[in-house]
Amino acid sequence: MSDKILACRCEDVTTHEIEEAVRAGHRDLESLKRYTGFGTGWCQGKQCVALCARLLVELGGDPPDAPITPRPPFHPVSIARLARLLPEGDE
Amino acid sequence: MSAHFEPIAAPPKLLPDRADVVIVGGGIMGLAIAWNLARLGQQRIVVVEKSYLCSGASGRNGGGVRAQWSSETNVRLMKRSIELCSDFATKMRINVWFRRGGYLFLARSDERAKQLEESARLQRDHGLPTRIVDRAEMKEIVPELDVSRFVAASWNPHDGVVFPWPFVWGYARACEKLGVALHTHTDVREIETTNGRVSGVVTSRGRIATDRVLVCAGAWSPEITRMVGVELPSHPHRHEICSSEPLKPFLRPLVGDLADGLYFSQSMRGEIVGGISNAKVPDGIDQRSSLRFLGLYSRALSRAMPVLGEVKILRQWAGCYDITPDGNPLVGDVDEVPGMYLMSGFMGHGFMMAPVMGELFARWLLQGEERELFERWNLRRYRLGKLLSETMILG
């Protein structure tokens, strides 16, 4: 059996890739996110951030003060719905 | 599950106490310059970045790289920058997902169409295949576009889009291989001068003695130059972007509408990534997301491409443009403070210009080439009243 263990299922990031990224000097969670891409897929980090943060700390990185900066909308919203947000004439 | 990992993160590197050049800002501009300087033999280069890599505009832009501009200088420079983008992955051994899908600039009025036509003529004079297309051809290029709202478009199939993050990592890694000292999470607190000349940089992690400081801090550049009493005419302005759920590849070019600043493209990840002008945003450093942006963008996008209405937005973010009054950058030396150099004011186009500007700045500083460009874009043009123009500014 392969020892490939997924840390982020949306973006196919493995625990090995997290390890390599920390080894390469990405010691904080935001930097690690940008280097590996975890948390940028469909779930927006709901499934992977806690695990990646824990791995980072175990690997000797900087303990995060908070999770990665949340990116609204917190749930996917259709463009048609968002298009009705503003009154006509507001450009 | 991960208990077998031993702590492996390298401790923070020691900050050198002396450097030949200190570059303030570890965005793509600072890193591209550092790499080019090192390639030309410059020793002891230190790059200091106040946050993590990709934290500023270099990690927050749409990744568009285009040679469709209205000024000869920008056309020439961007032609070279796109060449550099096209073999970046091979040279730097990192996948930047560069895709030459073209740029389609839409015109809603005959007046705008005429402007685009003039720019297209200039671009053709420089060997680009840009041409003006009618509604039928617009429909061929983007079948889902509601072409009834536009009279014509300018089309250059050689423009493209990259994924910005690996571009930054690629330069960062290449810099370190050439011995550049790259220090993230290192904030500049003071720039020291002796007899009016730069003599050192004081950071949150210690002092570096140097007689050359290069300010590549994007929207934060005015804060840095103010430390030595130099007021830049540029100011930060928040710009927001968002991306949708991933879709199968269907959209070839980056589509832009200069009337409302709407632009969008499909990334290699399949997402529709785009933004729009938002005139009501107050000036200043601000990287927060707003609901108003989502409304403006979604309304404009669903009008231009009604088929996208049911597509969902996954996330949004914001970064800061570095706006100059004449839409052209601030580069080269600073008369008032010998030893200080600028590479800022790129308006939100610094990412696409960094590959070529890195190359040119290094040649200018070390070999004295490109004097004319570094004179024309110098900060002193404001004092001399020689302002420039550029009409193809998007977003």
Side-chain angles (χ1 to χ4, degrees):
Chain A
M1 184 180 153
S2 157
D3 59 357
K4 178 175 171 175
I5 302 168
L6 284 175
C8 166
R9 288 195 292 180
C10 303
E11 293 298 309
D12 259 0
V13 180
T14 64
T15 52
H16 176 71
E17 285 168 318
I18 298 284
E19 184 184 24
E20 285 299 311
V22 180
R23 198 192 302 276
H26 302 289
R27 298 172 53 89
D28 64 284
L29 197 61
E30 292 283 357
S31 180
L32 191 65
K33 170 190 153 184
R34 281 161 182 78
Y35 191 68
T36 63
F38 81 78
T40 64
W42 178 265
C43 88
Q44 288 294 289
K46 293 182 185 74
Q47 299 184 57
C48 58
V49 169
L51 172 61
C52 291
R54 186 178 156 185
L55 282 176
L56 175 69
V57 174
E58 286 182 5
L59 294 167
D62 302 334
D65 301 328
I68 52 172
T69 312
R71 304 282 168 199
F74 297 106
H75 297 284
V77 182
S78 77
I79 287 167
R81 283 187 71 184
L82 292 166
R84 293 193 290 270
L85 271 177
L86 302 176
E88 280 296 324
D90 180 9
E91 303 294 341
Chain B
M1 65 180 285
S2 54
H4 61 283
F5 287 135
E6 294 296 321
I8 53 168
K13 297 168 286 185
L14 281 177
L15 197 68
D17 57 8
R18 178 164 292 279
D20 293 329
V21 184
V22 173
I23 296 177
V24 181
I28 192 163
M29 192 65 77
L31 293 171
I33 291 170
W35 181 66
N36 278 286
L37 285 172
R39 280 207 309 164
L40 292 186
Q42 175 71 60
Q43 304 287 307
R44 297 195 300 184
I45 302 168
V46 180
V47 179
V48 288
E49 162 57 48
K50 69 188 286 183
S51 187
Y52 51 87
L53 292 187
C54 296
S55 58
S58 295
R60 296 168 180 273
N61 65 89
V65 285
R66 59 167 160 122
Q68 286 194 68
W69 289 89
S70 71
S71 73
E72 192 165 352
T73 309
N74 283 339
V75 173
R76 172 174 73 91
L77 296 182
M78 278 312 301
K79 203 178 148 189
R80 174 66 182 150
S81 223
I82 293 173
E83 268 173 38
L84 292 169
C85 287
S86 68
D87 69 354
F88 190 90
T90 317
K91 195 184 283 174
M92 302 301 208
R93 299 171 66 83
I94 190 162
N95 186 2
V96 291
W97 298 348
F98 176 61
R99 184 172 66 83
R100 266 191 158 156
Y103 253 62
L104 187 71
F105 270 116
L106 306 168
R108 293 192 206 175
S109 65
D110 291 339
E111 189 188 355
R112 177 73 72 187
K114 205 175 149 210
Q115 255 182 15
L116 289 178
E117 202 163 345
E118 281 170 22
S119 300
R121 197 175 308 125
L122 171 76
Q123 292 155 30
R124 281 196 298 276
D125 289 345
H126 284 78
L128 294 171
T130 313
R131 60 199 171 81
I132 300 299
V133 295
D134 61 11
R135 282 187 180 136
E137 209 171 348
M138 284 155 68
K139 198 86 184 159
E140 271 175 36
I141 298 164
V142 185
E144 302 80 5
L145 198 65
D146 178 3
V147 295
S148 67
R149 308 179 66 244
F150 307 101
V151 297
S154 158
W155 168 238
N156 174 14
H158 288 185
D159 289 338
V161 176
V162 299
F163 183 33
W165 293 355
F167 232 101
V168 175
W169 304 126
Y171 273 124
R173 192 169 61 185
C175 277
E176 291 192 317
K177 277 187 185 162
L178 292 183
V180 173
L182 170 56
H183 289 266
T184 57
H185 302 284
T186 306
D187 202 1
V188 172
R189 301 270 167 86
E190 189 187 339
I191 293 180
E192 294 178 342
T193 55
T194 305
N195 299 325
R197 299 185 65 91
V198 168
S199 56
V201 177
V202 180
T203 77
S204 52
R205 294 182 46 233
R207 177 183 184 272
I208 310 166
T210 186
D211 53 13
R212 276 179 168 171
V213 170
L214 169 57
V215 182
C216 297
W220 288 266
S221 297
E223 285 179 20
I224 303 293
T225 62
R226 211 167 283 139
M227 292 174 182
V228 285
V230 173
E231 282 296 327
L232 298 185
S234 53
H235 62 271
H237 189 83
R238 182 181 69 182
H239 180 76
E240 295 181 68
I241 302 191
C242 64
S243 69
S244 74
E245 58 191 326
L247 307 166
K248 281 185 180 177
F250 76 101
L251 176 62
R252 183 177 162 199
L254 187 147
V255 180
D257 181 350
L258 290 163
D260 57 9
L262 172 74
Y263 64 90
F264 56 96
S265 69
Q266 186 170 25
S267 74
M268 291 285 272
R269 293 157 56 114
E271 304 155 327
I272 303 297
V273 179
I276 193 168
S277 295
N278 187 352
K280 290 184 184 170
V281 172
D283 287 337
I285 298 279
D286 182 358
Q287 296 193 138
R288 289 173 302 177
S289 297
S290 76
L291 200 56
R292 182 164 188 276
F293 159 75
L294 278 186
L296 283 176
Y297 172 76
S298 299
R299 187 159 64 193
L301 181 60
S302 54
R303 280 178 184 162
M305 291 268 280
V307 71
L308 291 177
E310 292 314 309
V311 174
K312 294 185 176 73
I313 300 289
L314 269 196
R315 67 179 179 282
Q316 67 178 123
W317 65 94
C320 282
Y321 279 0
D322 184 13
I323 305 286
T324 60
D326 69 357
N328 281 269
L330 305 166
V331 306
D333 51 346
V334 178
D335 291 341
E336 295 86 341
V337 185
M340 175 174 267
Y341 301 86
L342 290 178
M343 207 61 161
S344 68
F346 282 89
M347 299 291 296
H349 304 115
F351 192 89
M352 67 171 85
M353 293 207 170
V356 66
M357 290 312 292
E359 191 173 76
L360 297 185
F361 183 89
R363 285 190 198 152
W364 171 78
L365 189 73
L366 301 181
Q367 299 170 345
E369 291 178 23
E370 287 287 342
R371 282 204 181 85
E372 193 270 331
L373 176 71
F374 283 83
E375 178 60 35
R376 184 164 0 137
W377 278 355
N378 195 286
L379 172 65
R380 72 178 70 93
R381 74 178 181 272
Y382 285 91
R383 203 178 57 231
L384 302 172
K386 290 183 178 170
L387 300 194
L388 306 162
S389 76
E390 171 57 61
T391 58
M392 293 189 69
I393 289 172
L394 190 57

